[in-house]
Amino acid sequence: MTEEYLAERTVSAVFKEEEQLDGVIRRLLDRGVSRDHISVMGKNFQSKTKIAGFLTKKDVILGGLRSGAIFGSLFGSFLGLLTGVGVLFIPFIGAVVSAGPLGAVLLGAASGAIAGSAGAGLVSALVALGMPEEKATIYQTRVEAGEFLVMAEVAADKSGEFQLLLESAGGEEVSVSEMTLPRAVKGRCNSPADLSPEVRSHLSEAAQKTFIESYNTAFDESNDSIQAEHTAWEAIHQQYEEDESGVWTKPLTKV
């Protein structure tokens, strides 16, 4: 049985040049950091592969960010190995390219563990997750200035090792915080807390219950989380209407 990856703290740093990112991601992967626990964000990527368009709520509910299927990968780059490469808009920063779980968290920032932070930029989201405000403010300012944020979720007893790794790779403002990014659990869902934040933020409490019941039924039959997620969304579309805020909350009236 594959040993479950242990993520207890987040090591973060900013890098001035895009060319530095390939090296630091490669080194993180080589040292055993799960690609699902590495996040990269920046404004000024000069990728050879065009990333088409902006993420919308419909893109999110179709699982585009989770699977990376909508936007594809940055070919020829280790960045392309990370999960969910896409483009999103962050208040006070503007349009950014985001890869990894941080992007999913920001899309789901309107509710759940980081309620109220969606309209307040990167600072409020990171602070709500457990990062010191002073450091979060520095990161937002430097991303806004065109630099690149890298975050790696690691075991507590290895956080010092990865702090040194980011520093030696050219990272600045390196920090370790006792935070990890919320994400959907693998396997069955036992409660709304097991849903990924970007999914949970678009469902009312009743719709969350419907989603979980449908998801678990489909997962028990297929053992495929992606297929189960699509089946659950089909159930939502059949039973609920989307309100003006993009939340599936109004039960459809049966004729």
Side-chain angles (χ1 to χ4, degrees), residues 7 10 14 26 76 97 102 112 157 161 223:
T10 296
V14 286
R26 174 181 54 78
V97 174
L102 180 59
D157 62 356
E161 169 189 338
N223 200 35

Side-chain angles (χ1 to χ4, degrees), residues 35-221:
R35 71 188 188 95
D36 296 327
H37 289 79
I38 301 173
S39 296
V40 179
M41 176 179 292
K43 293 178 64 174
N44 297 330
F45 282 96
Q46 303 298 321
S47 173
K48 296 178 181 178
T49 303
K50 182 179 180 181
I51 302 177
F54 288 83
L55 287 176
T56 67
K57 291 179 180 178
K58 288 186 178 180
D59 294 331
V60 176
I61 67 173
L62 291 173
L65 185 69
R66 188 170 183 178
S67 65
I70 291 177
F71 296 100
S73 298
L74 299 175
F75 295 108
S77 167
F78 277 90
L79 188 64
L81 298 178
L82 306 185
T83 56
V85 178
V87 183
L88 65 157
F89 183 88
I90 301 177
F92 307 114
I93 295 180
V96 299
V97 174
S98 180
L102 180 59
V105 170
L106 292 171
L107 281 168
S111 67
I114 46 179
S117 64
L122 183 61
V123 173
S124 291
L126 293 178
V127 169
L129 289 166
M131 181 177 288
E133 183 174 0
E134 179 181 359
K135 187 61 68 173
T137 300
I138 291 172
Y139 288 156
Q140 174 168 296
T141 299
R142 295 189 66 163
V143 170
E144 185 179 8
E147 298 182 15
F148 303 89
L149 174 63
V150 174
M151 301 172 64
E153 298 166 89
V154 302
D157 62 356
K158 294 186 176 180
S159 58
E161 169 189 338
F162 287 107
Q163 183 176 4
L164 291 174
L165 185 153
L166 293 184
E167 289 174 350
S168 65
E172 300 180 7
E173 297 293 343
V174 181
S175 70
V176 178
S177 54
E178 294 186 5
M179 59 172 273
T180 55
L181 301 176
R183 51 175 46 82
V185 298
K186 295 182 179 180
R188 298 181 100 255
C189 290
N190 297 313
S191 72
D194 291 340
L195 297 173
S196 58
E198 73 274 20
V199 169
R200 189 171 62 246
S201 66
H202 296 295
L203 299 174
S204 66
E205 288 187 12
Q208 289 174 13
K209 182 178 180 181
T210 299
F211 186 98
I212 290 171
E213 290 175 350
S214 178
Y215 176 92
N216 285 338
T217 298
F219 183 81
D220 290 343
E221 293 176 354

